């Protein structure tokens, strides 16, 4: 699967952005998807993940209640709605996917994802 992330930009603290992860190639509906981010000088960290059917999601504690992950398999796209943004959310956000069985649970581990898209920069000003 080839992944293309988009939707990043500059926003003031308290604002919102919606990131998109568009997929092409193998059937996207058979892939779980995760969002990860990496801030300057820091390690990559998990943000959110969703199962292939969209029935289960997981969030990092730092974004829980502010970010929402969703997917539209008909459009081969996963979204990350980011509300109440904070300066500490500033990072390059990347999406990743992995093929799974229908009953698979979400995973927050980057090493378990097989396909990665390029990142999109999110900058939150104070």
């Amino acid at each position: 699967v080839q992944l293309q992330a988009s939707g990043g930009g500059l926003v003031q603290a308290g604002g919102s952005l919606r990131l998109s992860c568009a997929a092409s190639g193998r059937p996207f509906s058979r892939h779980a998807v995760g969002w990860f981010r990496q801030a300057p000088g820091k390690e990559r960290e998990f943000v959110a993940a969703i199962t292939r059917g969209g029935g289960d999601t997981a969030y990092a504690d730092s974004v829980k209640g502010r970010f929402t992950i969703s997917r539209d398999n008909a459009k081969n796209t996963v979204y990350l709605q980011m509300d109440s943004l904070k300066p500490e959310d500033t990072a390059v956000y990347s999406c990743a996917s992995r093929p799974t069985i229908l009953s698979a649970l979400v995973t927050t581990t980057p090493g378990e994802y097989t396909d990665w898209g390029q990142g999109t920069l999110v900058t939150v000003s104070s």
Side-chain angles (χ1 to χ4, degrees):
V1 172
Q2 290 77 47
L3 303 172
Q4 179 82 29
S6 62
L10 174 64
V11 63
Q12 288 189 330
S16 298
L17 282 175
R18 188 176 79 158
L19 305 185
S20 297
C21 177
S24 61
R26 286 166 283 176
F28 193 50
S29 60
R30 297 179 183 177
H31 287 242
V33 175
W35 283 97
F36 297 83
R37 67 186 182 187
Q38 187 166 20
K42 295 187 177 181
E43 293 188 354
R44 182 170 56 193
E45 65 174 353
F46 167 76
V47 176
I50 189 167
T51 51
R52 69 183 232 179
D56 195 19
T57 58
Y59 298 91
D61 288 343
S62 59
V63 307
K64 202 170 294 183
R66 300 188 297 121
F67 289 12
T68 303
I69 189 171
S70 62
R71 68 188 299 159
D72 185 342
N73 284 341
K75 295 182 178 179
N76 287 342
T77 304
V78 169
Y79 305 98
L80 184 67
Q81 178 67 40
M82 306 187 296
D83 299 318
S84 302
L85 282 162
K86 305 175 181 180
E88 51 263 44
D89 293 319
T90 294
V92 174
Y93 285 71
S94 300
C95 58
S97 73
R98 67 187 191 105
T100 69
I101 58 176
L102 187 59
S103 59
L105 302 176
V106 291
T107 179
T108 64
T109 307
E112 297 193 26
Y113 288 85
T114 56
D115 301 291
W116 289 79
Q118 94 297 342
T120 185
L121 177 63
V122 172
T123 303
V124 184
S125 63
S126 57

